[in-house]
Amino acid sequence: MTNDLSEHTYLIHKLAPFVEKPEFSRLLYDATKDLGNEKRFLLKMEMKRLSKPCIRSIDLRTRVNSRCQLISFQGIKHYLHKPAIELFEDLVERYGIYTFGVYESVLNLAEHEFNQNAGTMTSTEDVVQEHRKSNSEKYIVSNHQLLNYAHRSEERMNYVVLVEIFLHNKQSLFASTVDISPSGLKIKLKDPDELDMVDAFTPVNIVFRGFQTDSGVTKESIEYKVLGISREGEQARVHLCRDLKSGPTVFNNYVNKLIKTHKRKYKVNLDNTVLALDDKIHEQAFASTTPSLSIFVDTKDPTTPTAKLACVNGTNKEIMDYWLDEDDEQYIGFMLNPARLAGMIANSSSETSIWVYAFTHIKNGKVYFYSATSDELEGEPKLKSVFLSYASRKVSWRVYKLVCTDIDPKAAYVPSAMPTGINRKIDRLNRPLTPRLESKLKNIKHMISVTDVTHLVAQQCYQKINLDRDKVKQLAVFGHPRNKPPEPVLSFRFKQEELRKETRYKLRTAVKLENYDTHITGVSEDCSVSGLKIELDSPFEQRINSRVSISFPALQKKTTQFVLEDLKYRVKHINYDQLVLHLEAISEQELSVAEKFFTLLIDNNRDKLKTLTNEESVPGMGHALRCLQARYSPQLCTYMQKQSRGYFPISTTMQPIRASWLNLLKHDMPATKMNTGWLFQDKHKSNAFIRDALRILRIEHRPVQAEIYVAFDPNEPDYEKAIVAQWERELATHRSKLQFIKTARARGEFYAFSVHISRSNRPDTSFLEQEMAYITRYAIHKAKQLEEKMWDISGQIYLTDITQEAIYRYHLNE
């Protein structure tokens, strides 16, 4: 708002909601009789601005001291505290929609609170906690293995009853149960000092002294086996199991009836299900954004391993797309040829990885692919510099890191954590793989993780190599012959919840898009009665929920019944390069012109329009590959959450691998913990890299990629002193980067990483609904905590070790 209107702020906000109403002119005139026409005109323009629809998200978590909660309105999510929610709801009711007036009023409220509480925004509790924690401890998080939870065959009820344990040496101990199932038991001893008398994997007899006397089992001696002992706080728990077939029938019946009758009262033990749901939340975030492409290798013929299947998401799909020719035929098998695969498989148990350098050449409209590994280039010393110099000068230059992992195809079966028999939906989740799916997977024994680590810094290094153009033609030895195409690799996409409520039909026709001063041409890809997907010729610079006008010039020539111009749609999704839009028709009480037209078009052409479906060639294959990827991917992922003082890591996931660079994260750490503090060594700077990247990702969809260089002294016990990390921009020149590497190697160890930072996608609640419903039934507070965690993951940081490549590009391996 301009300064000369500031004295009329109250009037502006009072009248702005009435701008679109017939009485607005009268109200404005009555309220501004004493003002001149010029001032009245400015007030009117300001009111019109405030009444315009707004699509900006409001996040007060870093602006106010009170706890904020997530609310959603018209598909836009906001984090607001209680006073802001009340103001938001009141203003939305007055304006009728979410406008700039609502947006600015809520922010003004937060700013007013901040000014009133200046210097006291941090609560006493937070101050105490901050003093208790060192900077490093904020970044120490637990590490988990994805899909590493146990499946329970029975429901286990929390139940306390007195028991007497008879050991093999005739001694007896008294204990109380913690939970019970027909074949399992968890107990705690009355006297913890007697714990040494219990040996793991030994048989014991238990008499349930606390059962009702009329149960008939208070004197029955039931044989159990000690499975193990676990610590829970200051106490220990003893875990036992028994064979249902060997136990007395009266005891089996009594326990089954006890659980069935009282599980609502005493609550089912949910520890396993809570862990499983937490695991699935992390797996879903990982699967939807991981930059590494997982390709599965068939070794039916061990002499010629073949890349067969790929698990694809919106991020790593670019790797597959790079290997498409002019006819959209897939040739990623050129890079993963049998010779390279055989070499990787032979070394799959070690830390080794291979680096592939690739480029394409277009001639007479045809695409020719070239690639070479670092080892292959070393085998052609006369052509090595020619290849790297020439290839790095091309726009199509790519560098890939390939890691091979041995896998067990049976690991594709991942049942839920809940036992079979609760309901049909859970039973369906627990079904084993179909015979057809098993037969397709039985020869899949290896997974190749392909990561695109192409980066301008490295490309510039290779471009400095002198190019001998007389030898360029000799690079044909690295070309892949088009007359010997590899077997195609079948892609199975990461499937999120299907948000379309209507059947989609393939429809390719010219479209024109208008939005304010923007005019873009393009073509439609598919349509439904209320939806439309279009591909544009130039990027769409506006945001999600923007209103656009669509015209169909080609279709208009075929109909006089409808005017197919200026049809109103709302943008529901924009892809990363801003060229593909998903639109939804805007309608009020009745169908819009667009909906009426497409209803008639679809009804009259059902035999001609091809239906688009998400059906897989082998049902269940996409989910099976996703499970294999989660269980075997060597990728380290750090999950970020936005808190009151910025972005902080909350956990990491990674499968057990052998890698020297893990010492950075595990230096002086317990086995299940990782210290990510070195990634945030610039946190005190105004342009802290990860913080800025996550802020950018709230607007831009495309992942942020950068390189980080790390010097590590393993002999220094102080973590803060042992590790020095520098982002590439902090080492502004190649000379400074080279000097950093040399100094790090001279004093200790050097590591370099390609860092991909992605924004979290919208969680697919249908994928998690059975576990969530089961937890809600018995512990709604735990379900709410997990749901908040699911929505609070703001982004993921993926680390790819590129130390070898960094040393190679600076010729330090010679």
Side-chain angles (χ1 to χ4, degrees), residues 568-582:
K568 302 302 181 184
Y569 280 87
R570 186 184 301 279
V571 179
K572 302 302 290 183
H573 179 74
I574 307 171
N575 81 327
Y576 70 90
D577 59 8
Q578 300 177 304
L579 293 177
V580 178
L581 307 185
H582 294 256

Side-chain angles (χ1 to χ4, degrees), residues 292-293 295 297 307 319 323 332-337 340-341 343-345 347-348 350-358 371-374 376 398-405 447-453 634 800-802 804:
S292 293
L293 176 68
I295 295 183
V297 180
I319 299 175
W323 296 89
I332 197 170
F334 279 147
M335 178 172 68
L336 300 169
N337 59 52
R340 289 176 185 168
L341 290 176
M344 283 189 285
I345 290 171
N347 295 294
S348 60
S350 68
E351 288 185 42
T352 57
S353 54
I354 72 168
W355 304 88
V356 177
Y357 303 89
S371 71
T373 68
S374 53
E376 290 167 357
R398 294 292 185 277
V399 182
Y400 298 106
K401 180 181 181 180
L402 277 57
V403 179
C404 182
T405 308
M447 184 182 84
I448 308 295
S449 293
V450 183
T451 310
D452 185 349
V453 294
T800 303
D801 175 27
I802 58 166
Q804 287 178 298

